[in-house]
Amino acid sequence: MPRNRTVRVAVLGSSVQRAAASGFASTRSSALRRRIVVGFLVLLSLVLITLSFRSSVLDPVQGFGASVLRPFEVAANRVARPFRDSVSWTQGVFKAKAENRKLVAENAKLTLQLSQAEATKQQNAFLRAQLHYVDSPSFPQCCTEVGARVLSNPVTPFDQTVTISAGSKAGIALEDVVVTAKGLVGQVTKVYANTSKVMLITDPDSSVRAEDASEGGAVGILDHGSAGDSLVLDGITKDKKVFENDLIITAGSPTGPGQLPSIYPWNIPIGSVTSVGENDVDIYKDIQVQPYVDLSSLESVLVLIPKPPTAAKLKASQ
């Protein structure tokens, strides 16, 4: 009996050892196969990518694949479109609400400013009436308008004049101011029966008393600039606050004694400030102005004919 047990133990031990060795070999073989498959797929991918970039061999295959997958792509887009549209609609609603709140706030602010300006205007008119204040003529109440066609534009940069199709028969006289719907053009320098010559504000001989509409007291002389259509506002001291994009208008006649009246009524738009500079040497700012009117290609203009003074103004001025 002991011998049989010994034999059984040996046999069992031998059997267990052979099973363990067989399982380990199977695991190694499976891992090796997986590595071979992965390596083959990687190599195949590299080959296909290379062929796709360097050759047209795969073009038919790619075209066929795109044709096969096209219905799935269309179906996916149709399924996703409602979700994209809903997201876009939601974003649009929130954006519109934000813009609406902003516009409502701006509208309320502008309404308040308008009411304040109207109250100031009425108060100013009342005080002027009480003081019998006589001011320089202002545009557009100062004048009547005569329309005219421009017959010729400036030929050279040194001759900044135009000829218009209206003259003395239409009531035009020397030094009448010429404008367009956008702003100041110049003044009449020669008058004939049916035509007139107009000197533009860009002419070297032109000089316009102008001011910054945003800064009270920033009054200077508008002269011809370095470029053909540029202007320079001279005589503005450094203590005046003038910024880019400020509106420049005609300043009208000065109120001090001994100063010649301006032929240009007050409040005619001229242009906007394009640059403001200053240095330690000059006492005035260097202010460049771009006119609103394209003076190089005028088609029609308006000539301002001064209205005769009323009896009240004549009495106040005496």
Side-chain angles (χ1 to χ4, degrees):
M1 296 297 292
R3 290 180 182 176
N4 294 335
R5 291 178 181 175
T6 304
V7 172
R8 290 177 181 174
V9 171
V11 171
L12 291 173
S14 176
S15 176
V16 171
Q17 291 177 359
R18 283 197 298 269
S22 176
F24 179 72
S26 177
T27 303
R28 291 184 59 185
S29 176
S30 177
L32 181 60
R33 284 196 299 271
R34 286 196 297 269
R35 292 176 182 176
I36 292 173
V37 171
V38 171
F40 174 76
L41 293 176
V42 171
L43 180 61
L44 180 61
S45 300
L46 294 176
V47 171
L48 293 176
I49 292 173
T50 304
L51 290 175
S52 176
F53 279 101
R54 297 188 178 183
S55 176
S56 60
V57 175
L58 297 178
D59 289 349
V61 178
Q62 293 176 345
F64 175 75
S67 300
V68 172
L69 297 177
R70 180 61 181 172
F72 298 97
E73 181 182 358
V74 172
N77 287 331
R78 288 180 178 177
V79 171
R81 184 180 301 167
F83 298 98
R84 290 197 302 265
D85 293 343
S86 62
V87 172
S88 300
W89 180 82
T90 304
Q91 292 176 348
V93 168
F94 283 110
K95 184 178 179 180
K97 288 184 177 180
E99 291 180 353
N100 182 60
R101 288 193 295 269
K102 181 180 178 181
L103 292 175
V104 169
E106 291 180 354
N107 184 54
K109 182 179 179 181
L110 292 175
T111 302
L112 177 61
Q113 291 177 353
L114 180 62
S115 62
Q116 292 175 345
E118 186 63 26
T120 303
K121 180 180 178 180
Q122 293 178 1
Q123 183 182 22
N124 185 36
F126 174 76
L127 293 176
R128 284 170 178 264
Q130 294 296 316
L131 295 173
H132 304 286
Y133 184 79
V134 179
D135 198 359
S136 62
S138 61
F139 176 78
Q141 294 82 9
C142 64
C143 314
T144 58
E145 300 172 350
V146 174
R149 183 164 56 92
V150 176
L151 301 177
S152 66
N153 280 295
V155 180
T156 65
F158 305 100
D159 181 22
Q160 293 292 300
T161 60
V162 298
T163 303
I164 62 174
S165 63
S168 58
K169 289 185 177 181
I172 295 175
L174 289 175
E175 296 187 345
D176 282 348
V177 179
V178 182
V179 300
T180 68
K182 293 183 178 180
L184 183 64
V185 172
Q187 62 168 302
V188 176
T189 54
K190 290 183 180 181
V191 181
Y192 305 99
N194 297 308
T195 60
S196 300
K197 181 162 284 189
V198 178
M199 180 176 65
L200 305 178
I201 56 176
T202 50
D203 192 277
D205 293 332
S206 174
S207 181
V208 182
R209 191 169 184 268
E211 66 176 342
D212 187 332
S214 303
E215 172 69 9
V219 181
I221 301 298
L222 195 70
D223 295 323
H224 174 66
S226 56
D229 61 344
S230 65
L231 300 168
V232 177
L233 184 59
D234 293 327
I236 305 297
T237 55
K238 295 180 180 179
D239 61 319
K240 303 300 181 182
K241 296 180 180 179
V242 179
F243 303 98
E244 288 188 19
N245 300 320
D246 279 1
L247 169 64
I248 302 300
I249 61 175
T250 53
S253 299
T255 56
Q259 294 177 309
L260 293 176
S262 173
I263 65 172
Y264 297 97
W266 174 72
N267 199 34
I268 300 177
I270 299 175
S272 61
V273 177
T274 56
S275 66
V276 180
E278 59 181 71
N279 54 52
D280 297 334
V281 179
D282 296 333
I283 61 175
Y284 299 116
K285 291 178 179 289
D286 180 17
I287 302 174
Q288 302 292 323
V289 179
Q290 181 65 37
Y292 288 138
V293 181
D294 184 3
L295 300 172
S296 63
S297 58
L298 291 168
E299 295 182 356
S300 61
V301 295
L302 296 173
V303 183
L304 304 183
I305 309 298
K307 294 179 180 179
T310 61
K313 288 185 177 180
L314 288 175
K315 184 179 179 180
S317 60
Q318 292 175 354

